[in-house]
PDB file of all heavy atoms in Angstrom:
ATOM      1  N   GLY I 126       7.870 -16.577  14.650  1.00  0.00           N
ATOM      2  CA  GLY I 126       7.215 -15.380  15.007  1.00  0.00           C
ATOM      3  C   GLY I 126       7.665 -14.095  14.265  1.00  0.00           C
ATOM      4  O   GLY I 126       7.633 -14.057  13.031  1.00  0.00           O
ATOM      5  N   PHE I 127       8.185 -13.162  15.034  1.00  0.00           N
ATOM      6  CA  PHE I 127       8.588 -11.867  14.538  1.00  0.00           C
ATOM      7  C   PHE I 127       9.614 -11.978  13.391  1.00  0.00           C
ATOM      8  O   PHE I 127       9.666 -11.167  12.488  1.00  0.00           O
ATOM      9  CB  PHE I 127       9.190 -11.024  15.657  1.00  0.00           C
ATOM     10  CG  PHE I 127       9.854  -9.777  15.232  1.00  0.00           C
ATOM     11  CD1 PHE I 127       9.114  -8.650  14.989  1.00  0.00           C
ATOM     12  CD2 PHE I 127      11.218  -9.702  15.130  1.00  0.00           C
ATOM     13  CE1 PHE I 127       9.702  -7.442  14.564  1.00  0.00           C
ATOM     14  CE2 PHE I 127      11.848  -8.486  14.736  1.00  0.00           C
ATOM     15  CZ  PHE I 127      11.070  -7.406  14.436  1.00  0.00           C
ATOM     16  N   TRP I 128      10.451 -12.995  13.414  1.00  0.00           N
ATOM     17  CA  TRP I 128      11.570 -13.128  12.459  1.00  0.00           C
ATOM     18  C   TRP I 128      11.150 -13.630  11.107  1.00  0.00           C
ATOM     19  O   TRP I 128      11.949 -13.677  10.182  1.00  0.00           O
ATOM     20  CB  TRP I 128      12.678 -14.004  13.073  1.00  0.00           C
ATOM     21  CG  TRP I 128      13.179 -13.465  14.363  1.00  0.00           C
ATOM     22  CD1 TRP I 128      12.883 -13.864  15.618  1.00  0.00           C
ATOM     23  CD2 TRP I 128      14.052 -12.327  14.514  1.00  0.00           C
ATOM     24  NE1 TRP I 128      13.495 -13.093  16.535  1.00  0.00           N
ATOM     25  CE2 TRP I 128      14.223 -12.106  15.856  1.00  0.00           C
ATOM     26  CE3 TRP I 128      14.661 -11.445  13.591  1.00  0.00           C
ATOM     27  CZ2 TRP I 128      15.031 -11.141  16.393  1.00  0.00           C
ATOM     28  CZ3 TRP I 128      15.483 -10.443  14.089  1.00  0.00           C
ATOM     29  CH2 TRP I 128      15.654 -10.281  15.465  1.00  0.00           C
ATOM     30  N   ARG I 129       9.906 -14.084  10.929  1.00  0.00           N
ATOM     31  CA  ARG I 129       9.384 -14.430   9.623  1.00  0.00           C
ATOM     32  C   ARG I 129       9.075 -13.141   8.850  1.00  0.00           C
ATOM     33  O   ARG I 129       8.588 -12.170   9.415  1.00  0.00           O
ATOM     34  CB  ARG I 129       8.176 -15.254   9.756  1.00  0.00           C
ATOM     35  CG  ARG I 129       8.349 -16.602  10.442  1.00  0.00           C
ATOM     36  CD  ARG I 129       7.051 -17.259  10.817  1.00  0.00           C
ATOM     37  NE  ARG I 129       7.228 -18.589  11.349  1.00  0.00           N
ATOM     38  CZ  ARG I 129       6.345 -19.247  12.142  1.00  0.00           C
ATOM     39  NH1 ARG I 129       5.227 -18.637  12.436  1.00  0.00           N
ATOM     40  NH2 ARG I 129       6.646 -20.430  12.597  1.00  0.00           N
ATOM     41  N   ILE I 130       9.368 -13.196   7.527  1.00  0.00           N
ATOM     42  CA  ILE I 130       9.080 -11.981   6.729  1.00  0.00           C
ATOM     43  C   ILE I 130       7.990 -12.251   5.721  1.00  0.00           C
ATOM     44  O   ILE I 130       7.469 -11.261   5.168  1.00  0.00           O
ATOM     45  CB  ILE I 130      10.338 -11.424   6.038  1.00  0.00           C
ATOM     46  CG1 ILE I 130      10.900 -12.492   5.058  1.00  0.00           C
ATOM     47  CG2 ILE I 130      11.431 -11.055   7.050  1.00  0.00           C
ATOM     48  CD1 ILE I 130      12.067 -11.934   4.161  1.00  0.00           C
ATOM     49  N   GLY I 131       7.587 -13.454   5.452  1.00  0.00           N
ATOM     50  CA  GLY I 131       6.474 -13.713   4.554  1.00  0.00           C
ATOM     51  C   GLY I 131       6.761 -13.436   3.084  1.00  0.00           C
ATOM     52  O   GLY I 131       7.840 -12.928   2.704  1.00  0.00           O
ATOM     53  N   VAL I 132       5.790 -13.633   2.263  1.00  0.00           N
ATOM     54  CA  VAL I 132       5.957 -13.500   0.837  1.00  0.00           C
ATOM     55  C   VAL I 132       6.255 -12.054   0.423  1.00  0.00           C
ATOM     56  O   VAL I 132       7.143 -11.774  -0.346  1.00  0.00           O
ATOM     57  CB  VAL I 132       4.678 -13.960   0.083  1.00  0.00           C
ATOM     58  CG1 VAL I 132       4.714 -13.544  -1.367  1.00  0.00           C
ATOM     59  CG2 VAL I 132       4.546 -15.512   0.157  1.00  0.00           C
ATOM     60  N   GLU I 133       5.533 -11.078   1.046  1.00  0.00           N
ATOM     61  CA  GLU I 133       5.727  -9.690   0.685  1.00  0.00           C
ATOM     62  C   GLU I 133       7.103  -9.202   1.176  1.00  0.00           C
ATOM     63  O   GLU I 133       7.754  -8.387   0.486  1.00  0.00           O
ATOM     64  CB  GLU I 133       4.634  -8.800   1.295  1.00  0.00           C
ATOM     65  CG  GLU I 133       3.289  -9.031   0.704  1.00  0.00           C
ATOM     66  CD  GLU I 133       3.264  -8.856  -0.801  1.00  0.00           C
ATOM     67  OE1 GLU I 133       3.869  -7.882  -1.283  1.00  0.00           O
ATOM     68  OE2 GLU I 133       2.683  -9.695  -1.450  1.00  0.00           O
ATOM     69  N   GLY I 134       7.586  -9.780   2.289  1.00  0.00           N
ATOM     70  CA  GLY I 134       8.914  -9.399   2.737  1.00  0.00           C
ATOM     71  C   GLY I 134       9.992  -9.898   1.825  1.00  0.00           C
ATOM     72  O   GLY I 134      11.026  -9.257   1.582  1.00  0.00           O
ATOM     73  N   ILE I 135       9.807 -11.136   1.294  1.00  0.00           N
ATOM     74  CA  ILE I 135      10.745 -11.678   0.348  1.00  0.00           C
ATOM     75  C   ILE I 135      10.761 -10.871  -0.924  1.00  0.00           C
ATOM     76  O   ILE I 135      11.850 -10.562  -1.470  1.00  0.00           O
ATOM     77  CB  ILE I 135      10.418 -13.176   0.041  1.00  0.00           C
ATOM     78  CG1 ILE I 135      10.498 -13.996   1.298  1.00  0.00           C
ATOM     79  CG2 ILE I 135      11.339 -13.692  -1.034  1.00  0.00           C
ATOM     80  CD1 ILE I 135       9.928 -15.407   1.140  1.00  0.00           C
ATOM     81  N   LYS I 136       9.626 -10.480  -1.430  1.00  0.00           N
ATOM     82  CA  LYS I 136       9.565  -9.592  -2.591  1.00  0.00           C
ATOM     83  C   LYS I 136      10.267  -8.269  -2.383  1.00  0.00           C
ATOM     84  O   LYS I 136      10.981  -7.780  -3.248  1.00  0.00           O
ATOM     85  CB  LYS I 136       8.134  -9.340  -2.982  1.00  0.00           C
ATOM     86  CG  LYS I 136       7.358 -10.523  -3.519  1.00  0.00           C
ATOM     87  CD  LYS I 136       5.885 -10.151  -3.860  1.00  0.00           C
ATOM     88  CE  LYS I 136       5.114 -11.352  -4.416  1.00  0.00           C
ATOM     89  NZ  LYS I 136       3.736 -11.006  -4.711  1.00  0.00           N
ATOM     90  N   GLU I 137      10.143  -7.755  -1.174  1.00  0.00           N
ATOM     91  CA  GLU I 137      10.835  -6.496  -0.873  1.00  0.00           C
ATOM     92  C   GLU I 137      12.377  -6.675  -0.821  1.00  0.00           C
ATOM     93  O   GLU I 137      13.101  -5.838  -1.282  1.00  0.00           O
ATOM     94  CB  GLU I 137      10.311  -5.948   0.476  1.00  0.00           C
ATOM     95  CG  GLU I 137      10.857  -4.576   0.827  1.00  0.00           C
ATOM     96  CD  GLU I 137      10.225  -4.016   2.066  1.00  0.00           C
ATOM     97  OE1 GLU I 137       9.134  -3.484   1.947  1.00  0.00           O
ATOM     98  OE2 GLU I 137      10.828  -4.144   3.154  1.00  0.00           O
ATOM     99  N   ALA I 138      12.757  -7.833  -0.312  1.00  0.00           N
ATOM    100  CA  ALA I 138      14.216  -8.128  -0.262  1.00  0.00           C
ATOM    101  C   ALA I 138      14.786  -8.248  -1.659  1.00  0.00           C
ATOM    102  O   ALA I 138      15.931  -7.779  -1.937  1.00  0.00           O
ATOM    103  CB  ALA I 138      14.466  -9.418   0.531  1.00  0.00           C
ATOM    104  N   VAL I 139      14.059  -8.863  -2.545  1.00  0.00           N
ATOM    105  CA  VAL I 139      14.497  -8.995  -3.940  1.00  0.00           C
ATOM    106  C   VAL I 139      14.575  -7.672  -4.634  1.00  0.00           C
ATOM    107  O   VAL I 139      15.500  -7.386  -5.428  1.00  0.00           O
ATOM    108  CB  VAL I 139      13.573  -9.933  -4.724  1.00  0.00           C
ATOM    109  CG1 VAL I 139      13.903  -9.968  -6.208  1.00  0.00           C
ATOM    110  CG2 VAL I 139      13.642 -11.379  -4.160  1.00  0.00           C
ATOM    111  N   ALA I 140      13.642  -6.767  -4.319  1.00  0.00           N
ATOM    112  CA  ALA I 140      13.640  -5.437  -4.955  1.00  0.00           C
ATOM    113  C   ALA I 140      14.507  -4.386  -4.248  1.00  0.00           C
ATOM    114  O   ALA I 140      14.591  -3.270  -4.738  1.00  0.00           O
ATOM    115  CB  ALA I 140      12.201  -4.943  -4.967  1.00  0.00           C
TER     116      ALA I 140
END
Side-chain angles (χ1 to χ4, degrees):
F127 171 81
W128 300 103
R129 296 167 176 159
I130 63 172
V132 168
E133 293 304 316
I135 298 169
K136 290 180 180 178
E137 187 173 277
V139 172

